[in-house]
Amino acid sequence: MAKRVVIVGGGISGLAAAYALHSSRPDLEIRLFEASDRLGGNVGTDAIDDFVVEHGPDSFVVSKPHALALCRKLDLENQLISTPPENRIVYFARAGKLIPLPEGLVLGVPTRLLPLLFSSLLSLKAKLRAALEPFIPVRKEAGDESVYDFFARRLGTEVAARIAGPLIGGIYAGDPRSLSIEATFPQFRAMEQRFGSLILGMLAARGKNPQSAPGYFLARVFLLLRQLLPHKRTAEPAFLSLKGGMQGLIDALARALPQGSVTMSTPIASVSCDPRKTEQPALVTLANGQKLAADAALLCAPTHACAKLVNDAELSAELTAIPTVSTATVVLGFERSTVRHPLQGVGFVVPKGEGQILAATWISSKWQHRAPAGRVLLRAFLGGPELKDQL
């Protein structure tokens, strides 16, 4: 008899988990249950008045390779699109103006010094502090730290507060002083440990500093001086999407699963586990009262929903204690002639204290074929950790 795995939740996590299990263990019987009448959770795409409108994310981060690898496994590589090179510019709101992020600055880590030095986004003191990052000692203490603390330690408090914190906080709709660097961008922590520097780690990833290693003081000086030389603009895409929208990833995952393995419009009432049972220790009870024994149950629903499903009081309390935030996305379509801004870029980030929204994306500049001719599509993001202050 085939072992059975029940997956609760048909969002991107549940679908990706089901696909991974089926790919590695085709002998398993997989049963995925989704409470709503559609798959994808927050990921979804609609066509509205000839606009391509995303429910949630419009892309995925290139620096985290898992989504790209998944697209390739699903034969979606020919559907991948990137932002046009001339529009790979991110702006920051400061004192009522939009200031472009200096070229070569990757999530606050400078790989080019001249653009940083001539930018008005940071004070001179902050620029010099960021440039000295390769000479900052590596943190020896074990354990995690917040996104803000990590970047403040490596690049200075101004970079952490004005650039790195808002960027990563915007991606996760969280407070950079609470977000874990290990949970969000562990590759930065790994760079520090391996190269002794984020700047040198970034350059190594681009094949520009093969001899850099902790302790090579002269190599650090040489590489920093080389970054003062003029460079040809070669901005790399930070995000990728699919031609028809992110719904394409959801549809491809659903198609790749065994026929009959997905059941929608079926809420789950509870999930319990009896460790004393050697066979099918998990018991999943559907909202209609039907019970389904399983060898394993995987909860891929939001933590607050999972807290109500498990029969373990301690686990339920731990799930309930995980902080979450709410966000809202406002999609705006305009006639191009009514928008005075050139919209050459992907949009702008609003650091804390600079405005009422978290960020805005110029969708029709970021991705082709998202708006009909003569019109533009924009998105604004509200809520997040500051929501309580906005109510």
Side-chain angles (χ1 to χ4, degrees):
M1 181 178 176
K3 290 187 178 295
R4 175 186 292 161
V5 178
V6 173
I7 298 175
V8 178
I12 184 65
S13 298
L15 289 169
Y19 173 73
L21 283 172
H22 177 61
S23 299
S24 60
R25 290 286 305 275
D27 57 302
L28 293 176
E29 178 193 351
I30 297 173
R31 297 292 306 276
L32 183 149
F33 293 94
E34 165 58 37
S36 71
D37 60 358
R38 60 172 294 274
L39 296 172
N42 290 330
V43 181
T45 310
D46 281 330
I48 303 175
D49 293 335
D50 294 326
F51 290 101
V52 177
V53 177
E54 301 282 12
H55 294 193
D58 68 346
S59 56
F60 55 86
V61 181
V62 175
S63 61
K64 288 194 167 187
H66 306 93
L68 178 57
L70 180 59
C71 287
R72 287 171 173 162
K73 289 179 181 178
L74 294 166
D75 295 324
L76 293 175
E77 192 162 13
N78 65 341
Q79 296 296 309
L80 292 172
I81 58 173
S82 62
T83 304
E86 66 274 13
N87 287 342
R88 292 172 189 170
I89 306 170
V90 178
Y91 294 83
F92 275 73
R94 185 177 181 191
K97 298 180 179 179
L98 295 183
I99 301 174
L101 188 69
E103 184 185 349
L105 209 63
V106 182
L107 288 176
V109 182
T111 60
R112 296 276 313 282
L113 293 186
L114 277 181
L116 176 66
L117 291 175
F118 284 101
S119 172
S120 60
L121 192 57
L122 297 170
S123 67
L124 177 60
K125 180 181 178 180
K127 296 171 187 177
L128 295 175
R129 170 63 179 83
L132 290 173
E133 188 272 341
F135 304 98
I136 301 299
V138 174
R139 180 175 181 253
K140 301 298 183 182
E141 297 85 351
D144 201 0
E145 59 187 323
S146 73
V147 165
Y148 176 85
D149 289 340
F150 178 83
F151 282 98
R153 179 172 58 79
R154 294 290 336 158
L155 292 155
T157 56
E158 198 170 322
V159 169
R162 290 187 178 176
I163 299 177
L167 276 173
I168 296 179
I171 291 172
Y172 288 91
D175 182 352
R177 294 178 183 270
S178 301
L179 289 171
S180 155
I181 191 67
E182 290 285 359
T184 54
F185 283 88
Q187 61 266 46
F188 284 130
R189 176 68 171 152
M191 278 184 190
E192 179 188 30
Q193 294 300 312
R194 181 179 177 186
F195 298 99
S197 161
L198 300 183
I199 293 177
L200 296 183
M202 286 287 189
L203 295 174
R206 299 179 181 184
K208 294 183 179 179
N209 61 333
Q211 59 180 328
S212 65
Y216 286 94
F217 181 86
L218 292 178
R220 283 164 159 72
V221 173
F222 171 76
L223 288 163
L224 286 177
L225 290 175
R226 191 169 71 172
Q227 296 315 299
L228 288 170
L229 298 175
H231 285 63
K232 182 180 179 181
R233 185 181 182 91
T234 55
E236 306 234 343
F239 302 92
L240 289 175
S241 188
L242 297 171
K243 290 180 180 178
M246 294 301 292
Q247 183 68 45
L249 178 58
I250 300 302
D251 294 341
L253 283 168
R255 289 194 301 268
L257 297 179
Q259 187 173 5
S261 61
V262 176
T263 305
M264 292 186 285
S265 301
T266 306
I268 302 298
S270 66
V271 178
S272 60
C273 181
D274 186 349
R276 296 170 298 179
K277 296 182 64 175
T278 57
E279 292 186 3
Q280 295 190 318
L283 182 64
V284 179
T285 304
L286 309 185
N288 61 11
Q290 179 184 349
K291 297 183 182 298
L292 189 65
D295 295 278
L298 187 58
L299 304 187
C300 295
T303 53
H304 62 84
C306 293
K308 299 176 182 179
L309 299 180
V310 298
N311 66 338
D312 184 303
E314 183 178 352
L315 176 58
S316 178
E318 290 181 357
L319 290 169
T320 301
I322 295 175
T324 59
V325 297
S326 295
T327 60
T329 303
V330 180
V331 183
L332 307 164
F334 295 100
E335 295 291 337
R336 183 66 184 92
S337 59
T338 65
V339 180
R340 291 181 295 175
H341 195 281
L343 301 179
Q344 186 176 356
V346 298
F348 60 92
V349 177
V350 183
K352 185 177 180 180
E354 294 287 350
Q356 296 298 311
I357 64 174
L358 299 173
T361 304
W362 304 329
I363 294 294
S364 48
S365 297
K366 187 177 181 182
W367 312 114
Q368 294 180 338
H369 311 303
R370 292 299 196 259
R375 302 166 95 179
V376 295
L377 184 66
L378 315 176
R379 291 208 303 174
F381 303 89
L382 304 93
E386 307 301 322
L387 179 63
K388 61 181 181 296
D389 298 328
Q390 299 172 9
L391 298 177

